[in-house]
Amino acid sequence: MKKHNFSAGPSILAREVIEKTAQAVLDFNGSTLSILEISHRSKDFEAVIEEARQLFKELLNIPEGYSVLFLGGGASMQFCMVPFNLLETKAAYLNTGVWANKAMKEAKGFGEVVEVASSKDANYTFIPKDFVIPADADYLHITTNNTIYGTELRKDLDSPIPLVADMSSDIFSRPVDISKYAIIYGGAQKNLAPAGLAFVIIKDSILGKVSRYIPTMLNYKTHITEGSMFNTPPVLPIYSALETLRWLKSNGGIQAMEKKNLAKAELLYNTIDSSKMFVGTAAKEDRSIMNVCFVMKPAYKELEADFLKFAVAAGMDGIKGHRSVGGFRASIYNAMPIESVQALVDCMMAFEKQNA
Ligand SMILES: *Cc1c(COP(=O)(O)O)cnc(C)c1O
């Protein structure tokens, strides 16, 4: 039976990306050697990282003056690298969930942290708006897509101070005005590559303003100067990232991706909104087009476990909701075809017909 992969992360990659990665593991570029056993300083790997960097810039339309870094440590390492490199006295954070909290916690080790707004009291079901950004803070940190709650800030904010964004789970899902950001970072394992890699898009001129010593490996300048090759980078995830970037380009780039993503999200949200049984958990105006969270209405609450079994039996993988939200979460990242979303919709409608 065909499985539909709705996993939140690590998550679905284009089949073609997985096949090409597997091929490079067996025989990289016809060399008869595996990409796992050659030097990261070999010509062939240098070409991989260079093309990945160039495609990042091309697809996201990254202006001059920005660098693209490929680092280990995942997004969580960036929770500490950002304040280590940018926080001199005070930083502002928008609290939109678990990941934002983890970022905030790290920043507190480096200076004062101002929480500009929070939707914690509503279990993060919406993105706070109309908050005041302190003009004297070193930067404002936001999480554009809240993977756990299915909320998303899909408009690029205007910030009077440097804007830092965790885009782990929505990078490449929509066009972004990079010039509005000082740093965009994320773990690769949601929309780009296997786990073990973080990407960082950084405005070079933002650096050099803090007075503390920054350890070499945690200093963005090191990785800018060394082209992400100060030490051995995560070579295999970088190779997969390159294949995803090639796949994005040959499928019409980010505009085309956004169009498909909007269609997939609309199909699923329309089904939820017209259902007697299911209801979405996120505020409508803040709904994510990457992670769709829904639960059973109170009258049907006891059927949640049955639906999960029904859906799993129909090939729906990874739709159990995060423990802090409950119910269901369908992650419908770039690589997910609309046919899989349709299969989930059919499954929901069939269950409702049987049970409502
Ligand atoms: C998954 C996720 C993270 C954590 O990423 P790691 O690479 O595991 O550290 C951080 N932020 C967001 C928004 C995420 O979805």
Side-chain angles (χ1 to χ4, degrees), residues 336-353:
M336 168 152 288
I338 196 159
E339 291 74 19
S340 288
V341 179
Q342 185 63 54
L344 175 60
V345 162
D346 292 346
C347 178
M348 290 164 74
M349 288 170 45
F351 185 83
E352 181 163 329
K353 205 166 165 208

PDB file of all heavy atoms in Angstrom, residues 336-353:
ATOM      1  N   MET A 336       5.487  17.270  -0.702  1.00  0.00           N
ATOM      2  CA  MET A 336       4.264  16.471  -0.676  1.00  0.00           C
ATOM      3  C   MET A 336       3.362  16.792  -1.882  1.00  0.00           C
ATOM      4  O   MET A 336       2.987  17.941  -2.098  1.00  0.00           O
ATOM      5  CB  MET A 336       3.490  16.732   0.606  1.00  0.00           C
ATOM      6  CG  MET A 336       2.084  16.152   0.533  1.00  0.00           C
ATOM      7  SD  MET A 336       1.453  15.709   2.125  1.00  0.00           S
ATOM      8  CE  MET A 336       2.420  14.269   2.496  1.00  0.00           C
ATOM      9  N   PRO A 337       3.014  15.777  -2.669  1.00  0.00           N
ATOM     10  CA  PRO A 337       2.119  16.020  -3.804  1.00  0.00           C
ATOM     11  C   PRO A 337       0.679  16.236  -3.336  1.00  0.00           C
ATOM     12  O   PRO A 337       0.280  15.713  -2.283  1.00  0.00           O
ATOM     13  CB  PRO A 337       2.233  14.731  -4.628  1.00  0.00           C
ATOM     14  CG  PRO A 337       2.683  13.688  -3.669  1.00  0.00           C
ATOM     15  CD  PRO A 337       3.435  14.374  -2.560  1.00  0.00           C
ATOM     16  N   ILE A 338      -0.082  16.975  -4.114  1.00  0.00           N
ATOM     17  CA  ILE A 338      -1.478  17.248  -3.743  1.00  0.00           C
ATOM     18  C   ILE A 338      -2.283  15.945  -3.688  1.00  0.00           C
ATOM     19  O   ILE A 338      -3.258  15.845  -2.935  1.00  0.00           O
ATOM     20  CB  ILE A 338      -2.117  18.298  -4.679  1.00  0.00           C
ATOM     21  CG1 ILE A 338      -3.405  18.855  -4.040  1.00  0.00           C
ATOM     22  CG2 ILE A 338      -2.370  17.732  -6.074  1.00  0.00           C
ATOM     23  CD1 ILE A 338      -3.859  20.193  -4.566  1.00  0.00           C
ATOM     24  N   GLU A 339      -1.831  14.930  -4.418  1.00  0.00           N
ATOM     25  CA  GLU A 339      -2.532  13.640  -4.399  1.00  0.00           C
ATOM     26  C   GLU A 339      -2.550  13.041  -2.986  1.00  0.00           C
ATOM     27  O   GLU A 339      -3.521  12.397  -2.590  1.00  0.00           O
ATOM     28  CB  GLU A 339      -1.873  12.643  -5.367  1.00  0.00           C
ATOM     29  CG  GLU A 339      -2.049  12.976  -6.847  1.00  0.00           C
ATOM     30  CD  GLU A 339      -1.190  14.145  -7.339  1.00  0.00           C
ATOM     31  OE1 GLU A 339      -0.185  14.503  -6.662  1.00  0.00           O
ATOM     32  OE2 GLU A 339      -1.519  14.725  -8.397  1.00  0.00           O
ATOM     33  N   SER A 340      -1.471  13.261  -2.243  1.00  0.00           N
ATOM     34  CA  SER A 340      -1.426  12.738  -0.871  1.00  0.00           C
ATOM     35  C   SER A 340      -2.385  13.507   0.029  1.00  0.00           C
ATOM     36  O   SER A 340      -3.006  12.935   0.924  1.00  0.00           O
ATOM     37  CB  SER A 340      -0.005  12.814  -0.310  1.00  0.00           C
ATOM     38  OG  SER A 340       0.805  11.852  -0.934  1.00  0.00           O
ATOM     39  N   VAL A 341      -2.482  14.815  -0.194  1.00  0.00           N
ATOM     40  CA  VAL A 341      -3.430  15.608   0.590  1.00  0.00           C
ATOM     41  C   VAL A 341      -4.853  15.164   0.253  1.00  0.00           C
ATOM     42  O   VAL A 341      -5.705  15.015   1.137  1.00  0.00           O
ATOM     43  CB  VAL A 341      -3.233  17.121   0.321  1.00  0.00           C
ATOM     44  CG1 VAL A 341      -4.230  17.940   1.119  1.00  0.00           C
ATOM     45  CG2 VAL A 341      -1.809  17.545   0.653  1.00  0.00           C
ATOM     46  N   GLN A 342      -5.092  14.909  -1.032  1.00  0.00           N
ATOM     47  CA  GLN A 342      -6.416  14.422  -1.454  1.00  0.00           C
ATOM     48  C   GLN A 342      -6.721  13.075  -0.781  1.00  0.00           C
ATOM     49  O   GLN A 342      -7.853  12.835  -0.353  1.00  0.00           O
ATOM     50  CB  GLN A 342      -6.456  14.287  -2.987  1.00  0.00           C
ATOM     51  CG  GLN A 342      -7.830  13.912  -3.540  1.00  0.00           C
ATOM     52  CD  GLN A 342      -8.891  14.979  -3.254  1.00  0.00           C
ATOM     53  OE1 GLN A 342      -8.720  16.152  -3.581  1.00  0.00           O
ATOM     54  NE2 GLN A 342     -10.005  14.589  -2.618  1.00  0.00           N
ATOM     55  N   ALA A 343      -5.721  12.227  -0.669  1.00  0.00           N
ATOM     56  CA  ALA A 343      -5.924  10.918  -0.029  1.00  0.00           C
ATOM     57  C   ALA A 343      -6.328  11.107   1.435  1.00  0.00           C
ATOM     58  O   ALA A 343      -7.210  10.408   1.943  1.00  0.00           O
ATOM     59  CB  ALA A 343      -4.645  10.074  -0.131  1.00  0.00           C
ATOM     60  N   LEU A 344      -5.714  12.053   2.111  1.00  0.00           N
ATOM     61  CA  LEU A 344      -6.080  12.326   3.510  1.00  0.00           C
ATOM     62  C   LEU A 344      -7.504  12.876   3.598  1.00  0.00           C
ATOM     63  O   LEU A 344      -8.297  12.466   4.452  1.00  0.00           O
ATOM     64  CB  LEU A 344      -5.073  13.314   4.140  1.00  0.00           C
ATOM     65  CG  LEU A 344      -5.406  13.779   5.562  1.00  0.00           C
ATOM     66  CD1 LEU A 344      -5.473  12.606   6.546  1.00  0.00           C
ATOM     67  CD2 LEU A 344      -4.379  14.812   6.059  1.00  0.00           C
ATOM     68  N   VAL A 345      -7.809  13.797   2.692  1.00  0.00           N
ATOM     69  CA  VAL A 345      -9.159  14.376   2.655  1.00  0.00           C
ATOM     70  C   VAL A 345     -10.207  13.266   2.432  1.00  0.00           C
ATOM     71  O   VAL A 345     -11.225  13.210   3.131  1.00  0.00           O
ATOM     72  CB  VAL A 345      -9.226  15.459   1.536  1.00  0.00           C
ATOM     73  CG1 VAL A 345     -10.655  15.782   1.158  1.00  0.00           C
ATOM     74  CG2 VAL A 345      -8.481  16.720   1.985  1.00  0.00           C
ATOM     75  N   ASP A 346      -9.925  12.384   1.496  1.00  0.00           N
ATOM     76  CA  ASP A 346     -10.850  11.269   1.223  1.00  0.00           C
ATOM     77  C   ASP A 346     -11.034  10.408   2.473  1.00  0.00           C
ATOM     78  O   ASP A 346     -12.146   9.966   2.794  1.00  0.00           O
ATOM     79  CB  ASP A 346     -10.314  10.386   0.077  1.00  0.00           C
ATOM     80  CG  ASP A 346     -10.320  11.124  -1.257  1.00  0.00           C
ATOM     81  OD1 ASP A 346     -10.971  12.188  -1.353  1.00  0.00           O
ATOM     82  OD2 ASP A 346      -9.646  10.647  -2.197  1.00  0.00           O
ATOM     83  N   CYS A 347      -9.944  10.194   3.156  1.00  0.00           N
ATOM     84  CA  CYS A 347      -9.947   9.377   4.374  1.00  0.00           C
ATOM     85  C   CYS A 347     -10.788  10.053   5.470  1.00  0.00           C
ATOM     86  O   CYS A 347     -11.606   9.399   6.142  1.00  0.00           O
ATOM     87  CB  CYS A 347      -8.491   9.207   4.782  1.00  0.00           C
ATOM     88  SG  CYS A 347      -8.201   8.309   6.253  1.00  0.00           S
ATOM     89  N   MET A 348     -10.625  11.357   5.626  1.00  0.00           N
ATOM     90  CA  MET A 348     -11.412  12.099   6.630  1.00  0.00           C
ATOM     91  C   MET A 348     -12.897  12.048   6.297  1.00  0.00           C
ATOM     92  O   MET A 348     -13.751  11.844   7.172  1.00  0.00           O
ATOM     93  CB  MET A 348     -10.950  13.564   6.684  1.00  0.00           C
ATOM     94  CG  MET A 348      -9.562  13.743   7.285  1.00  0.00           C
ATOM     95  SD  MET A 348      -8.833  15.362   6.925  1.00  0.00           S
ATOM     96  CE  MET A 348      -9.795  16.399   8.027  1.00  0.00           C
ATOM     97  N   MET A 349     -13.214  12.223   5.007  1.00  0.00           N
ATOM     98  CA  MET A 349     -14.625  12.232   4.597  1.00  0.00           C
ATOM     99  C   MET A 349     -15.258  10.854   4.747  1.00  0.00           C
ATOM    100  O   MET A 349     -16.415  10.745   5.170  1.00  0.00           O
ATOM    101  CB  MET A 349     -14.760  12.802   3.189  1.00  0.00           C
ATOM    102  CG  MET A 349     -14.517  14.306   3.248  1.00  0.00           C
ATOM    103  SD  MET A 349     -14.334  15.250   1.722  1.00  0.00           S
ATOM    104  CE  MET A 349     -15.598  14.687   0.710  1.00  0.00           C
ATOM    105  N   ALA A 350     -14.479   9.832   4.443  1.00  0.00           N
ATOM    106  CA  ALA A 350     -15.009   8.470   4.585  1.00  0.00           C
ATOM    107  C   ALA A 350     -15.280   8.148   6.064  1.00  0.00           C
ATOM    108  O   ALA A 350     -16.310   7.568   6.406  1.00  0.00           O
ATOM    109  CB  ALA A 350     -14.005   7.464   4.001  1.00  0.00           C
ATOM    110  N   PHE A 351     -14.379   8.573   6.923  1.00  0.00           N
ATOM    111  CA  PHE A 351     -14.554   8.321   8.349  1.00  0.00           C
ATOM    112  C   PHE A 351     -15.773   9.082   8.883  1.00  0.00           C
ATOM    113  O   PHE A 351     -16.569   8.550   9.658  1.00  0.00           O
ATOM    114  CB  PHE A 351     -13.292   8.731   9.128  1.00  0.00           C
ATOM    115  CG  PHE A 351     -13.357   8.386  10.590  1.00  0.00           C
ATOM    116  CD1 PHE A 351     -13.045   7.109  11.030  1.00  0.00           C
ATOM    117  CD2 PHE A 351     -13.750   9.331  11.530  1.00  0.00           C
ATOM    118  CE1 PHE A 351     -13.120   6.777  12.384  1.00  0.00           C
ATOM    119  CE2 PHE A 351     -13.823   9.014  12.886  1.00  0.00           C
ATOM    120  CZ  PHE A 351     -13.501   7.721  13.305  1.00  0.00           C
ATOM    121  N   GLU A 352     -15.897  10.306   8.432  1.00  0.00           N
ATOM    122  CA  GLU A 352     -17.026  11.128   8.890  1.00  0.00           C
ATOM    123  C   GLU A 352     -18.358  10.510   8.438  1.00  0.00           C
ATOM    124  O   GLU A 352     -19.331  10.459   9.203  1.00  0.00           O
ATOM    125  CB  GLU A 352     -16.871  12.561   8.348  1.00  0.00           C
ATOM    126  CG  GLU A 352     -17.996  13.476   8.807  1.00  0.00           C
ATOM    127  CD  GLU A 352     -17.674  14.970   8.643  1.00  0.00           C
ATOM    128  OE1 GLU A 352     -16.483  15.336   8.749  1.00  0.00           O
ATOM    129  OE2 GLU A 352     -18.599  15.735   8.399  1.00  0.00           O
ATOM    130  N   LYS A 353     -18.382  10.033   7.212  1.00  0.00           N
ATOM    131  CA  LYS A 353     -19.594   9.427   6.677  1.00  0.00           C
ATOM    132  C   LYS A 353     -20.004   8.203   7.502  1.00  0.00           C
ATOM    133  O   LYS A 353     -21.180   7.999   7.810  1.00  0.00           O
ATOM    134  CB  LYS A 353     -19.349   9.016   5.214  1.00  0.00           C
ATOM    135  CG  LYS A 353     -20.603   8.940   4.404  1.00  0.00           C
ATOM    136  CD  LYS A 353     -20.300   8.882   2.901  1.00  0.00           C
ATOM    137  CE  LYS A 353     -21.553   8.444   2.171  1.00  0.00           C
ATOM    138  NZ  LYS A 353     -21.221   7.753   0.914  1.00  0.00           N
TER     139      LYS A 353
END
